[in-house]
């Protein structure tokens, strides 16, 4: 199976159609990812097939969140090499996207990708979620915060909920078997002004693995003492 086939068919399995242009943008992204990965550490996934499935299709599975649509303002917290933010931007060309990561080399890579793919309305932030979450230009300014593979839910909630407007959503992309992690996150959801909406169990195309998407709605403002200073959410997670 070649990459184009995997993307086209995998997208159909998720329930979306990718245009020729979107396929070409993702192929170009894959080329840049593998090229830059030889110089800076971006991903441990280097087989083309795995990049298509475990990075691109997995990121695109967020489209299962019915509230996500063109026009929204979204921040991807701890985006790394751009997941899930960039594949979502390729699909919903009109979202206003902010990509945040604490590693500057990754931010440089993301700027190159967005320039090369012609993706507009993307903002790049280098720094820690705990610092930007307290900044007036970013706090409670987003319809959606998304994050994949950054931290356990109770820590991740403290990174992400401060960015979300009241009435907006936090989407956490998680692996299989997350019941315990969700139990440990209950308290943090409440403290930070959230309400669990649903957990969607999603089969990853061409794979045996099921992934989960946890959707949390922000129902009231996050108390101003959160996020605590950089490093504290990891050292003493809310429980
Ligand atoms: C394991 S990588 C995952 C990257 C990407 N989301 C993915 O799914 O492939 C975690 C990323 O989160 C970033 N990160 C971790 N803690 C962070 C924080 N407190 N603020 C901003 N970025 C953070 C790291 O620099 C790293 O790039």
């Amino acid at each position: 199976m070649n990459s184009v086939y995997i993307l086209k068919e995998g997208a159909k399995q998720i329930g979306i159609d990718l245009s020729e242009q979107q396929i070409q943008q993702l192929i170009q992204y894959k080329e840049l990812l593998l090229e830059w990965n030889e110089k800076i550490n971006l991903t441990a996934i280097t087989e083309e097939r795995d990049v298509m499935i475990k990075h691109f299709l997995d990121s695109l599975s967020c489209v299962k969140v019915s509230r996500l649509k063109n026009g929204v303002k979204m921040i991807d917290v701890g985006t790394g090499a751009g997941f899930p933010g960039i594949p979502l931007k390729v699909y919903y060309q009109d979202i206003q996207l902010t990509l945040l990561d604490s590693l500057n080399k990754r931010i440089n890579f993301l700027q190159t990708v967005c320039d090369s793919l012609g993706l507009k309305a993307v903002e790049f932030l280098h720094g820690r979620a705990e610092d930007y979450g307290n900044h007036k230009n970013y706090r409670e300014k987003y319809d959606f915060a998304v994050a994949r593979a950054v931290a356990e839910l109770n820590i991740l909630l403290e990174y992400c909920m401060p960015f979300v407007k009241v009435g907006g959503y936090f989407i956490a992309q998680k692996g299989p078997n997350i019941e315990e992690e969700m139990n440990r996150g209950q308290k943090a959801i409440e403290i930070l002004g959230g309400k669990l909406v649903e957990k969607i169990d999603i089969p990853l195309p061409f794979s045996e693995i099921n992934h989960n998407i946890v959707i949390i709605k922000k129902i009231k403002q996050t108390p101003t003492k959160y996020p605590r200073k950089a490093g504290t959410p990891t050292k003493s997670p809310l429980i």
Side-chain angles (χ1 to χ4, degrees), residues 78-80 83 101-103 106 127-130 148-150 159:
T79 185
F83 306 116
D101 203 275
S102 53
L103 280 184
R106 293 186 177 155
R128 307 228 9 164
E130 300 94 308
R148 188 186 85 151
V150 177
Y159 291 167

Side-chain angles (χ1 to χ4, degrees), residues 41-43 45 54-55 58-59 76-85 100-104 106 125-132 146-151 155 159 173 230-231 233-234:
N41 178 19
L42 290 169
T43 178
I45 294 173
K54 295 181 182 166
H55 281 325
D58 187 47
S59 296
D76 182 4
V77 176
T79 185
F83 306 116
L100 165 66
D101 203 275
S102 53
L103 280 184
N104 202 31
R106 293 186 177 155
L125 295 181
H126 168 226
R128 307 228 9 164
E130 300 94 308
D131 297 326
Y132 281 108
V146 292
R148 188 186 85 151
V150 177
I155 300 167
Y159 291 167
Q173 273 202 287
T234 330

Side-chain angles (χ1 to χ4, degrees), residues 6-196:
I6 294 173
L7 281 178
K8 268 195 179 153
E9 285 306 308
K12 278 197 189 125
Q13 288 177 31
I14 295 170
I16 55 175
D17 276 322
L18 293 176
S19 67
E20 285 307 315
Q21 191 200 354
Q22 287 165 332
I23 300 260
Q24 283 321 312
Q25 283 176 313
L26 290 172
I27 298 290
Q28 200 181 345
Y29 181 17
K30 178 261 304 174
E31 277 160 17
L32 288 165
L33 177 72
L34 297 181
E35 185 188 318
W36 277 62
N37 201 42
E38 290 179 7
K39 291 172 274 168
I40 64 167
N41 178 19
L42 290 169
T43 178
I45 294 173
T46 52
E47 290 294 322
E48 278 198 24
R49 179 181 194 278
D50 289 344
V51 173
M52 299 299 137
I53 298 169
K54 295 181 182 166
H55 281 325
F56 296 168
L57 293 172
D58 187 47
S59 296
L60 286 169
S61 65
C62 286
V63 303
K64 289 285 179 198
V65 180
S66 54
R67 298 154 189 95
L68 205 55
K69 54 181 187 304
N70 258 323
V72 300
K73 191 167 172 184
M74 172 192 280
I75 183 165
D76 182 4
V77 176
T79 185
F83 306 116
I86 293 188
L88 289 173
K89 175 72 183 168
V90 167
Y91 182 64
Y92 297 109
Q93 301 262 329
D94 289 336
I95 55 174
Q96 285 178 63
L97 178 66
T98 299
L99 298 169
L100 165 66
D101 203 275
S102 53
L103 280 184
N104 202 31
K105 281 182 182 170
R106 293 186 177 155
I107 295 291
N108 293 339
F109 166 72
L110 298 170
Q111 280 170 324
T112 302
V113 170
C114 290
D115 284 350
S116 309
L117 271 55
L119 301 176
K120 304 275 186 275
V122 183
E123 183 177 16
F124 306 90
L125 295 181
H126 168 226
R128 307 228 9 164
E130 300 94 308
D131 297 326
Y132 281 108
N134 277 312
H135 192 294
K136 66 175 175 31
N137 293 353
Y138 301 98
R139 188 178 177 89
E140 302 195 326
K141 292 285 188 284
Y142 292 87
D143 303 303
F144 287 88
V146 292
R148 188 186 85 151
V150 177
E152 272 227 13
L153 201 54
N154 51 356
I155 300 167
L156 197 56
L157 280 153
E158 190 168 349
Y159 291 167
C160 295
M161 289 296 283
F163 291 111
V164 181
K165 292 176 187 169
V166 174
Y169 297 88
F170 165 46
I171 301 173
Q173 273 202 287
K174 290 282 170 189
N177 310 322
I178 56 156
E179 283 66 27
E180 280 215 4
E181 188 178 336
M182 285 189 68
N183 288 339
R184 281 195 301 277
Q186 274 308 324
K187 195 80 193 159
I189 296 177
E190 250 175 67
I191 294 174
L192 298 165
K195 181 176 180 275
L196 177 66

